[in-house]
Amino acid sequence: RRNGAGKTTTMNMLLNLVRPSGGSLYLFGESISHFGKKNYHRIGSIIEAPAFYENLTAKENLEILARLRGRHRRDTVKHALSVVNLDIESKKLFREYSLGMKQRLGLAAAIMHEPELLVLDEPMNGLDPVGIHETRKYLLQLCREMGTTIFISSHVLNEVEQLADMVGIINQGKLLEETSLQELYRQSRRYA
């Protein structure tokens, strides 16, 4: 939860963007060191600010990603844009987007191939209350209906409470505790 605790670094290691200095990482039962490119289509992610081509629309940006990634449903771009309510902004260029719109497009890119694991670092940054509500609703739907596992990092404890069923507490790169949200509350009441 604290800045510098190791949340983003852990997420970057899972995505093979940063090499671990020690220890082992496993994903889908396989060591990250042997984790081939073939498995990364099973993961969607937003780490820091999503980057897109400034002079293209949301649809054009996602079409490029869809071609690069392969393996997706036929209406993947249209579906992803409607999920995040960007389908109504079909003519607007990415450079004209607000921070919240950019974040929603990042989420669309992360979910358009219906990943098994979704890695989200501060996904509610820049969203207005309606955008937060809609995003939360969609993330919960992904878990319940598609069985997607969502690994989320957030400084907003209220947001974590509304989304998570399991929480991990990290400090200085070490996992101090992993427990259910209910157990965490039970333990905190004991010390209050």
Side-chain angles (χ1 to χ4, degrees):
R1 187 160 136 53
R2 297 176 62 176
N3 285 333
K7 299 179 302 294
T8 301
T9 300
T10 299
M11 291 178 159
N12 282 329
M13 287 187 297
L14 283 174
L15 297 169
N16 206 18
L17 299 173
V18 172
R19 297 261 185 231
S21 57
S24 302
L25 273 161
Y26 289 84
L27 196 55
F28 304 120
E30 191 175 331
S31 171
I32 290 289
S33 61
H34 299 96
F35 203 70
K37 290 180 184 178
K38 66 181 176 14
N39 286 320
Y40 279 101
H41 74 274
R42 299 169 68 185
I43 304 170
S45 66
I46 299 177
I47 303 290
E48 298 180 8
F52 294 98
Y53 293 103
E54 297 277 326
N55 61 334
L56 298 179
T57 66
K59 181 179 181 218
E60 292 166 335
N61 270 292
L62 292 188
E63 285 172 345
I64 290 170
L65 285 174
R67 281 194 298 269
L68 290 172
R69 288 183 183 156
R71 294 191 198 179
H72 51 76
R73 54 193 271 175
R74 182 167 292 176
D75 67 339
T76 192
V77 170
K78 182 180 177 184
H79 174 71
L81 289 173
S82 72
V83 163
V84 298
N85 292 325
L86 284 178
D87 50 341
I88 56 175
E89 298 288 350
S90 62
K91 302 288 186 218
K92 191 178 265 194
L93 299 178
F94 180 74
R95 70 172 163 251
E96 300 166 347
Y97 275 22
S98 67
L99 179 60
M101 291 171 74
K102 289 177 180 179
Q103 193 73 355
R104 289 188 352 237
L105 183 57
L107 184 58
I111 56 97
M112 71 180 193
H113 62 292
E114 298 176 334
E116 295 172 52
L117 172 65
L118 190 54
V119 179
L120 303 174
D121 191 13
E122 301 287 345
M124 305 304 182
N125 273 358
L127 296 180
D128 60 23
V130 172
I132 289 171
H133 175 75
E134 289 172 352
T135 301
R136 183 186 319 122
K137 184 173 122 184
Y138 177 68
L139 292 176
L140 290 169
Q141 178 185 342
L142 262 179
C143 286
R144 291 179 183 137
E145 294 176 15
M146 302 294 292
T148 304
T149 299
I150 300 176
F151 183 46
I152 186 170
S153 167
S154 178
H155 284 89
V156 183
L157 194 52
N158 179 41
E159 205 51 54
V160 173
E161 290 172 337
Q162 294 183 51
L163 285 170
D165 50 6
M166 293 293 291
V167 294
I169 299 175
I170 297 175
N171 189 26
Q172 296 180 342
K174 301 215 183 305
L175 181 64
L176 301 179
E177 185 158 358
E178 182 179 0
T179 186
S180 71
L181 200 53
Q182 293 169 327
E183 179 62 21
L184 186 65
Y185 283 134
R186 191 185 68 71
Q187 288 177 14
S188 67
R189 281 195 301 270
R190 188 172 66 208
Y191 298 112

